[in-house]
Amino acid sequence: MFKRVLIGILAAACAFCLSGCVIQLPAQNQTTSSASQGSQDQTASGGSASGTQDASGQDQASSGGEISRDDALTTVLEHAGVSQGEAYNVKVERDGDNGIPIYDIEFETDYGDYDYEIAIADGSIVGTDYEVREEWAYQQPEQSVSEDEVRALVQQKVPGAPASDIQIRQERDDGRFRYEGSLSYNDMYYEFEVDGQTGIILDWNADLRR
């Protein structure tokens, strides 16, 4: 009788141990496993292999000196004279143009649409195309500008460009006049239209000549 009770107690204790034991990985192995999984998840979701991402998911500059998405967008907004609050429907995508890795940046404002190409390697602007809505421009206070003032305006956007290289002609449409012109400078070709009665740039296009 005593042996049967003893055997029953030992069997119950063994069953308890088998059901309650949990095998754990050493802490170092768990950390390594988590880091490996995180790396796989980032690659699977399209994360950059050369750069890192901040809390917002934006690529930061890599050790190779590439410009980040945030810095590229800041460069574009400053060049366009548009504040962060004015821009909406913003798109920043990695792309390529004739073998040059670029950020293709698009955004809208209440008064126009913008499209920029920024070289990822150094943050230089290699392409620009934006149009300001005429109905908005024509509602602005009139301030007629001369050809020389238009040249000065272009030189502000293209520092170093000689005024003599800026070609301008005057056009008239529906009783309103505008300036149309072009410029070749530092491997870039520019075309533009400026409203003659407000001095607002209605259309600006720039392309890198390769």
Side-chain angles (χ1 to χ4, degrees):
M1 179 66 178
F2 175 76
K3 289 183 178 180
R4 287 199 296 270
V5 172
L6 180 59
I7 292 172
I9 293 173
L10 291 175
C14 183
F16 175 79
C17 290
L18 290 175
S19 63
C21 290
V22 177
I23 299 176
Q24 293 185 341
L25 290 172
Q28 183 177 358
N29 290 345
Q30 287 181 322
T31 302
T32 303
S33 177
S34 298
S36 175
Q37 183 63 43
S39 176
Q40 293 171 359
D41 289 347
Q42 183 180 9
T43 303
S45 62
S48 172
S50 59
T52 58
Q53 289 188 334
D54 62 13
S56 64
Q58 296 293 340
D59 282 355
Q60 297 300 296
S62 71
S63 58
E66 294 183 352
I67 188 173
S68 69
R69 280 181 167 85
D70 288 343
D71 287 343
L73 179 58
T74 297
T75 297
V76 163
L77 293 177
E78 289 178 352
H79 184 270
V82 175
S83 68
Q84 286 273 5
E86 291 176 311
Y88 57 88
N89 290 339
V90 179
K91 297 180 182 178
V92 182
E93 299 178 348
R94 292 179 73 104
D95 203 347
D97 187 8
N98 288 334
I100 299 177
I102 63 170
Y103 287 122
D104 187 2
I105 302 178
E106 300 178 16
F107 61 91
E108 300 177 34
T109 68
D110 290 339
Y111 44 86
D113 302 327
Y114 296 76
D115 187 351
Y116 277 80
E117 293 181 351
I118 305 294
I120 294 177
D122 59 8
S124 60
I125 298 174
V126 296
T128 312
D129 186 7
Y130 68 80
E131 296 182 8
V132 170
R133 297 183 179 90
E134 293 181 353
E135 57 270 23
W136 175 85
Y138 295 168
Q139 293 174 359
Q140 305 311 303
E142 291 196 3
Q143 184 177 353
S144 297
V145 292
S146 65
E147 285 192 15
D148 287 341
E149 288 172 324
V150 171
R151 285 191 173 89
L153 180 62
V154 172
Q155 286 178 302
Q156 288 178 5
K157 296 187 72 64
V158 189
S164 57
D165 289 352
I166 302 173
Q167 307 299 315
I168 296 179
R169 63 183 181 277
Q170 186 172 321
E171 301 288 340
R172 186 171 291 274
D173 183 25
D174 294 333
R176 196 176 186 97
F177 75 96
R178 68 178 62 188
Y179 297 100
E180 297 181 1
S182 61
L183 165 68
S184 292
Y185 181 69
N186 276 355
D187 297 326
M188 295 287 292
Y189 181 72
Y190 304 85
E191 292 182 318
F192 55 87
E193 293 183 9
V194 178
D195 181 39
Q197 295 178 222
T198 61
I200 293 174
I201 297 176
L202 300 174
D203 196 345
W204 181 273
N205 183 275
D207 287 304
L208 180 64
R209 296 296 183 177
R210 302 174 178 86

